[in-house]
Amino acid sequence: MISHLPLGLAFASPLRAHCPTPPRLSRPPPHPRHAGTGGLGCVQAKGARRRCCRASVSSAPAAAMDPSEVKKDLYPLVEPYDTGFLKVSDVHTLYYEQSGNPHGHPVVFLHGGPGAGTSPGNRRFFDPEFYRIVLFDQRGAGRSTPHACLEQNTTWDLVADIEKLREHLDIPEWQVFGGSWGSTLALAYSQAHPEKVTGIVLRGIFLLRKKELDWFYEGGAAAIFPDAWEPFRDFIPEEERNCFIAAYSKRLTSSDPTVQIEAAKRWTMWEMMTAHLIQNNDNVKRGEDDKFSLAFARIENHYFVNKGFLSSDSYLLDNVDKIRHIKAFIVQGRYDVCCPMMSAWDLHKAWPEAEFKVVPDAGHSANEVGIAAELRSATEKLRDMLRK
């Protein structure tokens, strides 16, 4: 059903301006305790929990990945040894899980979107014999409840949630791993709580600046994916196309559930079709799922309309000094259309101490071979440093 827009026409369309609108080893885990239940507003899930050292700073120049130097395979899939729900507000309850080594070095995985939720494959970037792997679904996403809820859902709510989860699991400090929106949240959290972070791995850098949103949602990326752009564009009447983020916000918050679902699918499909260098059919199918699309699109759009709830366009770059001392890795696909390399490059220039790797034959997805290999390599380098 995807029609094709002539490439020349896509290039002829100017970029629309984005609307102003809206070294210590961790302690072993203690005896389990139960998470709270209950709440107000939307329906909440009930559940209960079952059952490090800081790396030194070293500068590294920007480098393209040499495929011969890194391993291609991720770690085998492991099952969680602990799952639970943590009540973080009078509205929201988060799903979390732990896998790997219960006495290992803790690492928290921050998923993208916002609104995408976690999946079992996210555990595979980490050596399960060394790491205590913590995954959780952010507010409104995945198995967290209420589903797709925008109330009390901001960047700073999520930063506070990460701290609540760390304390709930009795983790004194941990490594932070995040890609795409997860890189945004990883930077925000680490800058707010640098004393709790032992290392940082970032992928597909997204700094939530106006020029990044304009590129992807207001016509820039359409020059590369005109066939995927047209269904996204055509859902919005011509008189509202001066700002697609605002136009979609109106429909994603409509009182009509049918309108919400259709808008969510169009929004989600646009991103799913552009996330890989070579289009991935399994990824595209995610955009056809009503439940996934609704959370993904509503929460993502909510954050973008509100400029990420950051106080300035350059907030994350301006606060790099707070984390400059933490050993960090930045992994970026050269042909990332969703989060173009300009952002990773700007972060690299502001933070040259972080090891910067450009994957020359990859787009945005963490599951592309070269990016996955570099992410595993980064977690192994941090592992080896912690073992010394």
Side-chain angles (χ1 to χ4, degrees), residues 178-211:
S180 193
W181 156 256
S183 74
T184 319
L185 185 56
L187 288 168
Y189 171 77
S190 299
Q191 290 170 3
H193 301 281
E195 73 285 357
K196 305 302 181 184
V197 179
T198 62
I200 304 172
V201 178
L202 306 174
R203 184 269 311 169
I205 304 304
F206 180 43
L207 302 175
L208 234 164
R209 297 176 295 177
K210 177 182 181 295
K211 65 181 179 180

Side-chain angles (χ1 to χ4, degrees), residues 237-296:
E238 288 191 19
E239 61 270 19
E240 294 184 62
R241 293 180 188 174
N242 62 313
C243 183
F244 283 97
I245 291 177
Y248 267 91
S249 176
K250 178 180 175 181
R251 289 154 180 84
L252 289 167
T253 58
S254 168
S255 59
D256 184 343
T258 303
V259 173
Q260 281 195 33
I261 289 293
E262 182 61 27
K265 284 185 173 181
R266 300 274 185 139
W267 178 281
T268 304
M269 191 64 75
W270 164 237
E271 187 160 336
M272 297 301 108
M273 293 183 73
T274 56
H276 289 74
L277 181 64
I278 299 175
Q279 203 165 83
N280 182 290
N281 289 332
D282 289 337
N283 199 53
V284 171
K285 286 179 182 177
R286 298 178 78 194
E288 299 171 357
D289 181 88
D290 289 2
K291 183 175 181 181
F292 173 80
S293 293
L294 192 64
F296 184 83

